[in-house]
Amino acid sequence: VAKSRGRNQYVYFDQQMQEQAQTKMRTASDLRTALSRGEFELYYQPIVNLANGHVEKAEALIRWKHPEKGMISPATFIPLAEDTGTIVSIGDWVFGEAARTVAAWRSRYRPDFQVSINVSPVQFKNSGIPHKKWVATLESLGTTGDGIVVEITERLLLDVEDSVRRQLLMLREAGMKMSLDDFGTGYSSLSYLKKLNIDFIKIDQSFVSALAMDSEDMILCEAMIAMAHKLGLKVVAEGIETAAQCSLLRTIGCDFGQGYHFSKPVRASLFEELLQSHSALMA
Ligand code: C2E
Ligand code: MG
Ligand code: MG
Ligand code: MG
């Protein structure tokens, strides 16, 4: 009995693995089709200079407008894209699209405007970031690398192989800036901030959401800002939803803010209206 049950379990397991493999293949092909059909779009969320309310940067956030399923959140499909390797071509598309946009906005509105893009650790694997192609893209657009801020996560720094460090260096040599996303949520080895020449840290929204005078989160934010400033880095606070959070962060010297309090991520055309109007987003 034991033997036959064992075998049945094996058969069942085998079937499950096969189904999983098939689902994965289907997802990979769906994502590739989406890319070729132009179903992805970058939305842009303002990053505001907290000292004067000016919109000096934007974060590009990918959206998938699925013809049947409607809008799919990156939190759903990015992990699948990472799992199936399609993040490499999606990430390449994100770069090209963001570069084109920042080049246009720099020439029309603000010559120092910056767009940040999220880059997955998977993009650094195997043949890695196609930095030569990226540099060629920037050149063909007649723009410089400093318009692009590359947002990486602590997840990338965990396996800080030489190859990752070399690739980050090449992006820096092309003029691009580096930002450490979701700061404080993972394993933050502070020495990496210096070693990898990070320009910005983004304080994760989990520290901002319950921010109140004399709270523990307030103390943590103050400490992160003080440390960043001593290392010569600028600080962006993510997920600012209220005027109170904004004013507390301003009081403790946070440089930039991002969140629904200012604006949700919006399509490029709407973001451009904001840049056209030159309006400050301070409340
Ligand atoms: P992230 O890079 O930390 O981006 C911030 C997320 O917080 C965004 O979610 C944004 O819409 C959301 N957010 C902004 N302000 C607020 C606020 O005030 N309150 C709240 N509750 N949320 C706010 P989104 O757009 O759904 O993106 C989720 C994550 O997906 C991103 O987190 C990033 O890790 C990933 N992602 C997005 N676009 C890309 C991409 O092009 N490539 C890669 N590899 N990952 C991406
Ligand atoms: Mg980000
Ligand atoms: Mg973040
Ligand atoms: Mg996040």
Side-chain angles (χ1 to χ4, degrees), residues 181-182 204-205 238:
D181 205 354
D182 306 334
D204 190 70
Q205 56 188 57
E238 292 191 290

Side-chain angles (χ1 to χ4, degrees), residues 59 118 151 181-183 202-205 238:
E59 178 173 9
N118 293 282
E151 293 194 7
D181 205 354
D182 306 334
F183 188 78
K202 296 188 82 170
I203 296 181
D204 190 70
Q205 56 188 57
E238 292 191 290

Side-chain angles (χ1 to χ4, degrees), residues 224-280:
M224 288 188 266
I225 291 165
M227 178 215 59
H229 285 171
K230 280 200 178 118
L231 290 170
L233 320 183
K234 298 278 188 204
V235 182
V236 183
E238 292 191 290
I240 302 179
E241 293 185 348
T242 68
Q245 291 162 353
C246 181
S247 106
L248 284 174
L249 285 160
R250 219 171 357 160
T251 312
I252 55 178
C254 187
D255 305 288
F256 296 95
Q258 178 181 353
Y260 298 165
H261 171 62
F262 303 109
S263 164
K264 292 200 165 184
V266 295
R267 12 171 40 130
S269 54
L270 197 56
F271 195 98
E272 205 161 344
E273 282 175 29
L274 187 75
L275 289 174
Q276 247 156 14
S277 69
H278 297 287
S279 61

